[in-house]
Amino acid sequence: MTSILFIYPLLLAMVNSQSPCDELSLVDRAEWGAQEPSAITNLTNKPLSFVVMHHSYYPLSCYDDDSCIERVKDIQDFHQNTQNWDDIGFHFLVGENGKVYEGRGWNRQAAHSTGWNNGAYGVCIIGDFTRAPPNEKALNAVRLWIECGIKLGHIKEDHYIITHRQSQRPHYTDCPGDNMFGIVRKWPRFCSFQNSGAPLAANKTQIALATEFCEKQISPLSAASTNLATSLIMFYLLLIHFL
Ligand SMILES: *[C@@H]1O[C@H](CO)[C@@H](O)[C@H](O)[C@H]1NC(C)=O
Ligand SMILES: *[C@@H]1O[C@H](CO)[C@@H](O)[C@H](O)[C@H]1NC(C)=O
Protein backbone atom coordinates (compact mmCIF):
# COMPACT_ATOMS: atom_id res chain seq x y z
CA MET A 1 0.00 0.00 0.00
CA THR A 2 2.74 2.44 0.95
CA SER A 3 4.41 1.60 -2.33
CA ILE A 4 1.28 2.58 -4.28
CA LEU A 5 1.23 5.91 -2.44
CA PHE A 6 4.83 6.38 -3.45
CA ILE A 7 4.42 5.44 -7.12
CA TYR A 8 1.24 7.40 -7.81
CA PRO A 9 2.68 10.94 -7.44
CA LEU A 10 5.73 9.84 -9.42
CA LEU A 11 3.57 8.67 -12.33
CA LEU A 12 1.50 11.85 -12.14
CA ALA A 13 4.66 13.93 -12.28
CA MET A 14 5.80 12.00 -15.36
CA VAL A 15 2.47 12.51 -17.15
CA ASN A 16 2.15 16.17 -16.20
CA SER A 17 5.74 17.18 -16.86
CA GLN A 18 5.84 20.38 -18.90
CA SER A 19 6.24 20.10 -22.63
CA PRO A 20 9.71 21.16 -23.80
CA CYS A 21 7.95 23.56 -26.20
CA ASP A 22 6.42 25.42 -23.24
CA GLU A 23 9.81 25.77 -21.58
CA LEU A 24 11.47 26.94 -24.79
CA SER A 25 11.85 30.68 -25.21
CA LEU A 26 11.25 31.02 -28.96
CA VAL A 27 11.38 34.37 -30.75
CA ASP A 28 9.63 34.23 -34.12
CA ARG A 29 10.54 36.20 -37.25
CA ALA A 30 7.94 38.89 -36.63
CA GLU A 31 9.20 39.38 -33.08
CA TRP A 32 12.81 39.96 -34.11
CA GLY A 33 11.87 41.96 -37.21
CA ALA A 34 13.08 39.66 -40.01
CA GLN A 35 13.25 40.85 -43.61
CA GLU A 36 11.13 38.92 -46.10
CA PRO A 37 12.88 36.04 -47.91
CA SER A 38 13.44 36.60 -51.64
CA ALA A 39 12.31 33.01 -52.31
CA ILE A 40 11.02 30.02 -50.32
CA THR A 41 11.74 26.34 -50.90
CA ASN A 42 10.00 23.92 -48.58
CA LEU A 43 11.62 20.94 -46.87
CA THR A 44 10.45 17.72 -48.53
CA ASN A 45 11.82 15.00 -46.22
CA LYS A 46 10.30 15.74 -42.83
CA PRO A 47 10.66 14.64 -40.12
CA LEU A 48 14.42 15.21 -40.41
CA SER A 49 17.06 12.83 -39.06
CA PHE A 50 19.90 15.31 -38.64
CA VAL A 51 20.73 18.46 -36.74
CA VAL A 52 23.91 20.29 -37.81
CA MET A 53 25.40 22.58 -35.17
CA HIS A 54 27.14 25.85 -36.07
CA HIS A 55 28.63 28.89 -34.41
CA SER A 56 28.39 32.31 -36.01
CA TYR A 57 32.11 33.02 -35.32
CA TYR A 58 31.17 36.59 -36.07
CA PRO A 59 29.11 38.36 -34.76
CA LEU A 60 30.25 37.66 -31.21
CA SER A 61 28.25 36.36 -28.24
CA CYS A 62 25.15 38.20 -27.02
CA TYR A 63 23.72 37.96 -23.52
CA ASP A 64 20.67 40.23 -23.58
CA ASP A 65 17.60 40.44 -25.79
CA ASP A 66 18.47 43.71 -27.53
CA SER A 67 21.95 42.69 -28.59
CA CYS A 68 20.83 39.19 -29.62
CA ILE A 69 18.16 40.65 -31.93
CA GLU A 70 20.77 43.01 -33.36
CA ARG A 71 23.08 40.02 -34.08
CA VAL A 72 20.32 37.97 -35.74
CA LYS A 73 19.44 40.94 -37.98
CA ASP A 74 23.12 41.45 -38.87
CA ILE A 75 23.43 37.78 -39.82
CA GLN A 76 20.32 37.95 -42.02
CA ASP A 77 21.60 41.13 -43.64
CA PHE A 78 24.99 39.50 -44.37
CA HIS A 79 23.40 36.35 -45.80
CA GLN A 80 20.87 38.19 -47.99
CA ASN A 81 22.89 41.15 -49.13
CA THR A 82 26.51 39.94 -49.19
CA GLN A 83 26.10 36.20 -49.77
CA ASN A 84 23.01 36.82 -51.91
CA TRP A 85 21.08 34.00 -50.31
CA ASP A 86 17.27 33.98 -50.27
CA ASP A 87 17.13 34.39 -46.52
CA ILE A 88 19.12 33.94 -43.32
CA GLY A 89 21.11 30.70 -43.73
CA PHE A 90 20.15 28.88 -40.51
CA HIS A 91 16.91 27.24 -39.51
CA PHE A 92 17.26 28.57 -35.96
CA LEU A 93 19.74 30.71 -34.01
CA VAL A 94 20.46 30.63 -30.30
CA GLY A 95 21.73 33.41 -28.05
CA GLU A 96 23.54 33.14 -24.74
CA ASN A 97 20.49 34.89 -23.31
CA GLY A 98 18.89 31.42 -23.56
CA LYS A 99 16.50 32.36 -26.40
CA VAL A 100 15.98 30.63 -29.72
CA TYR A 101 15.40 32.80 -32.80
CA GLU A 102 13.42 31.49 -35.76
CA GLY A 103 15.52 31.67 -38.93
CA ARG A 104 14.03 29.77 -41.86
CA GLY A 105 11.99 27.81 -39.33
CA TRP A 106 10.69 24.26 -39.30
CA ASN A 107 9.31 24.06 -42.84
CA ARG A 108 11.79 25.63 -45.26
CA GLN A 109 15.06 24.51 -46.79
CA ALA A 110 17.96 26.61 -45.55
CA ALA A 111 21.56 27.38 -46.59
CA HIS A 112 23.67 26.23 -43.66
CA SER A 113 25.68 23.25 -44.97
CA THR A 114 26.08 22.38 -48.65
CA GLY A 115 24.50 18.99 -49.39
CA TRP A 116 22.52 18.89 -46.14
CA ASN A 117 19.99 21.65 -46.52
CA ASN A 118 16.99 19.47 -47.32
CA GLY A 119 17.82 16.77 -44.76
CA ALA A 120 19.16 18.53 -41.69
CA TYR A 121 18.16 21.42 -39.47
CA GLY A 122 20.99 23.94 -39.15
CA VAL A 123 21.22 25.58 -35.74
CA CYS A 124 23.67 28.35 -34.95
CA ILE A 125 24.77 29.46 -31.50
CA ILE A 126 25.73 33.11 -31.85
CA GLY A 127 29.36 33.65 -30.87
CA ASP A 128 32.95 32.54 -31.48
CA PHE A 129 33.58 29.24 -29.71
CA THR A 130 37.14 28.63 -30.85
CA ARG A 131 38.50 29.68 -27.44
CA ALA A 132 35.61 29.32 -24.97
CA PRO A 133 32.47 27.18 -24.98
CA PRO A 134 28.92 28.56 -25.23
CA ASN A 135 27.25 29.06 -21.87
CA GLU A 136 24.81 26.64 -20.25
CA LYS A 137 21.78 28.83 -21.12
CA ALA A 138 22.50 28.51 -24.84
CA LEU A 139 23.27 24.78 -24.67
CA ASN A 140 20.12 24.14 -22.68
CA ALA A 141 18.06 26.11 -25.20
CA VAL A 142 19.42 23.90 -28.01
CA ARG A 143 18.49 20.74 -26.09
CA LEU A 144 14.97 22.05 -25.40
CA TRP A 145 14.61 23.08 -29.04
CA ILE A 146 15.45 19.53 -30.16
CA GLU A 147 13.01 18.01 -27.65
CA CYS A 148 10.33 20.42 -28.84
CA GLY A 149 11.07 19.60 -32.50
CA ILE A 150 10.56 15.91 -31.73
CA LYS A 151 7.28 16.64 -29.91
CA LEU A 152 5.99 18.68 -32.87
CA GLY A 153 6.99 15.98 -35.36
CA HIS A 154 9.69 17.97 -37.20
CA ILE A 155 12.69 15.97 -35.91
CA LYS A 156 12.85 12.18 -35.70
CA GLU A 157 13.10 10.77 -32.20
CA ASP A 158 16.03 8.69 -33.49
CA HIS A 159 17.85 11.74 -34.82
CA TYR A 160 21.58 12.39 -35.03
CA ILE A 161 23.53 15.49 -34.08
CA ILE A 162 26.65 16.48 -36.00
CA THR A 163 28.60 19.72 -36.46
CA HIS A 164 29.24 21.86 -39.54
CA ARG A 165 32.88 20.68 -39.81
CA GLN A 166 31.75 17.04 -40.07
CA SER A 167 29.26 17.79 -42.85
CA GLN A 168 31.98 19.00 -45.27
CA ARG A 169 35.36 17.61 -46.40
CA PRO A 170 38.03 17.58 -43.63
CA HIS A 171 39.45 21.06 -42.81
CA TYR A 172 36.83 22.86 -44.89
CA THR A 173 35.72 24.73 -41.77
CA ASP A 174 36.56 24.92 -38.08
CA CYS A 175 32.88 25.65 -37.28
CA PRO A 176 31.53 25.37 -34.54
CA GLY A 177 34.93 25.98 -32.89
CA ASP A 178 36.86 23.41 -30.85
CA ASN A 179 35.23 24.42 -27.58
CA MET A 180 31.67 24.02 -28.79
CA PHE A 181 32.63 20.85 -30.66
CA GLY A 182 34.09 19.45 -27.42
CA ILE A 183 30.72 19.82 -25.72
CA VAL A 184 28.43 18.69 -28.54
CA ARG A 185 30.49 15.52 -29.10
CA LYS A 186 29.50 14.34 -25.61
CA TRP A 187 25.76 14.60 -26.27
CA PRO A 188 23.98 11.21 -26.42
CA ARG A 189 22.73 11.65 -30.01
CA PHE A 190 26.06 12.98 -31.32
CA CYS A 191 27.31 10.96 -34.30
CA SER A 192 30.99 11.05 -35.24
CA PHE A 193 30.38 10.77 -39.01
CA GLN A 194 32.92 12.81 -41.01
CA ASN A 195 32.49 13.69 -44.68
CA SER A 196 35.64 12.12 -46.16
CA GLY A 197 35.79 14.52 -49.08
CA ALA A 198 35.84 11.59 -51.53
CA PRO A 199 33.57 12.00 -54.56
CA LEU A 200 30.14 10.48 -53.97
CA ALA A 201 29.15 7.31 -55.79
CA ALA A 202 26.22 7.73 -58.18
CA ASN A 203 22.90 7.98 -56.36
CA LYS A 204 24.63 8.54 -53.00
CA THR A 205 24.26 11.60 -50.82
CA GLN A 206 26.26 12.64 -47.77
CA ILE A 207 23.06 12.27 -45.76
CA ALA A 208 22.58 8.68 -46.95
CA LEU A 209 26.22 7.87 -46.09
CA ALA A 210 25.88 9.53 -42.70
CA THR A 211 22.63 7.71 -41.97
CA GLU A 212 24.27 4.33 -42.62
CA PHE A 213 27.20 5.30 -40.40
CA CYS A 214 25.15 6.76 -37.54
CA GLU A 215 22.62 3.92 -37.46
CA LYS A 216 25.50 1.56 -36.68
CA GLN A 217 27.03 3.88 -34.09
CA ILE A 218 23.94 4.88 -32.09
CA SER A 219 21.18 2.50 -31.07
CA PRO A 220 17.57 3.61 -31.62
CA LEU A 221 16.06 5.62 -28.75
CA SER A 222 12.75 3.80 -28.99
CA ALA A 223 14.43 0.49 -28.05
CA ALA A 224 16.36 2.16 -25.23
CA SER A 225 13.26 3.79 -23.74
CA THR A 226 11.32 0.51 -23.92
CA ASN A 227 14.14 -1.16 -21.99
CA LEU A 228 14.14 1.62 -19.43
CA ALA A 229 10.36 1.36 -18.98
CA THR A 230 10.61 -2.41 -18.57
CA SER A 231 13.34 -2.07 -15.94
CA LEU A 232 11.33 0.53 -14.03
CA ILE A 233 8.23 -1.68 -13.98
CA MET A 234 10.30 -4.68 -12.81
CA PHE A 235 11.85 -2.52 -10.12
CA TYR A 236 8.46 -1.40 -8.78
CA LEU A 237 7.03 -4.92 -8.90
CA LEU A 238 9.94 -6.09 -6.77
CA LEU A 239 9.45 -3.15 -4.42
CA ILE A 240 5.75 -3.91 -4.01
CA HIS A 241 6.56 -7.54 -3.45
CA PHE A 242 9.00 -6.86 -0.62
CA LEU A 243 7.14 -4.04 1.17
C1 LIG B 1 5.43 25.61 -48.79
O1 LIG B 1 4.69 25.30 -47.63
C2 LIG B 1 3.71 26.25 -47.28
C3 LIG B 1 3.08 25.81 -45.98
O2 LIG B 1 4.06 25.61 -45.00
C4 LIG B 1 2.68 26.36 -48.38
O3 LIG B 1 1.74 27.36 -48.07
C5 LIG B 1 3.38 26.69 -49.69
O4 LIG B 1 2.46 26.68 -50.73
C6 LIG B 1 4.50 25.71 -49.98
N1 LIG B 1 5.23 26.13 -51.15
C7 LIG B 1 5.49 25.32 -52.16
C8 LIG B 1 6.25 25.93 -53.30
O5 LIG B 1 5.16 24.16 -52.17
C1 LIG C 1 19.98 5.97 -59.76
O1 LIG C 1 18.73 5.49 -59.28
C2 LIG C 1 17.71 5.45 -60.26
C3 LIG C 1 16.40 5.04 -59.60
O2 LIG C 1 16.59 4.50 -58.33
C4 LIG C 1 18.12 4.46 -61.36
O3 LIG C 1 17.13 4.43 -62.35
C5 LIG C 1 19.44 4.92 -61.96
O4 LIG C 1 19.87 3.98 -62.89
C6 LIG C 1 20.49 5.09 -60.86
N1 LIG C 1 21.72 5.64 -61.46
C7 LIG C 1 22.92 5.14 -61.23
C8 LIG C 1 24.03 5.81 -61.93
O5 LIG C 1 23.09 4.18 -60.50
Side-chain angles (χ1 to χ4, degrees), residues 33-51:
Q35 297 295 317
E36 286 301 309
S38 56
I40 292 174
T41 311
N42 288 336
L43 288 165
T44 56
N45 288 318
K46 284 173 59 176
L48 303 190
S49 298
F50 284 90
V51 171

Side-chain angles (χ1 to χ4, degrees), residues 67-174:
S67 45
C68 285
I69 284 183
E70 201 177 299
R71 304 278 198 278
V72 176
K73 284 181 163 178
D74 284 350
I75 293 170
Q76 188 186 31
D77 181 62
F78 177 69
H79 287 173
Q80 284 187 315
N81 300 322
T82 304
Q83 307 280 60
N84 278 315
W85 297 343
D86 295 334
D87 195 354
I88 193 165
F90 306 109
H91 285 102
F92 291 87
L93 302 95
V94 178
E96 285 176 282
N97 58 348
K99 295 198 174 170
V100 176
Y101 296 83
E102 181 187 29
R104 299 216 191 180
W106 294 115
N107 297 318
R108 302 172 184 177
Q109 289 185 35
H112 59 86
S113 313
T114 307
W116 295 75
N117 291 311
N118 192 30
Y121 285 115
V123 181
C124 173
I125 302 184
I126 299 165
D128 168 7
F129 304 114
T130 55
R131 269 174 240 105
N135 69 9
E136 203 44 51
K137 272 189 181 175
L139 295 167
N140 211 31
V142 174
R143 288 188 284 255
L144 273 177
W145 170 83
I146 292 174
E147 288 303 312
C148 175
I150 294 170
K151 267 255 150 67
L152 297 176
H154 303 302
I155 302 176
K156 282 189 188 158
E157 187 179 13
D158 291 320
H159 62 283
Y160 305 109
I161 299 171
I162 67 163
T163 59
H164 188 200
R165 61 171 69 169
Q166 297 168 257
S167 73
Q168 307 300 314
R169 63 175 163 73
H171 310 299
Y172 169 83
T173 175
D174 179 47

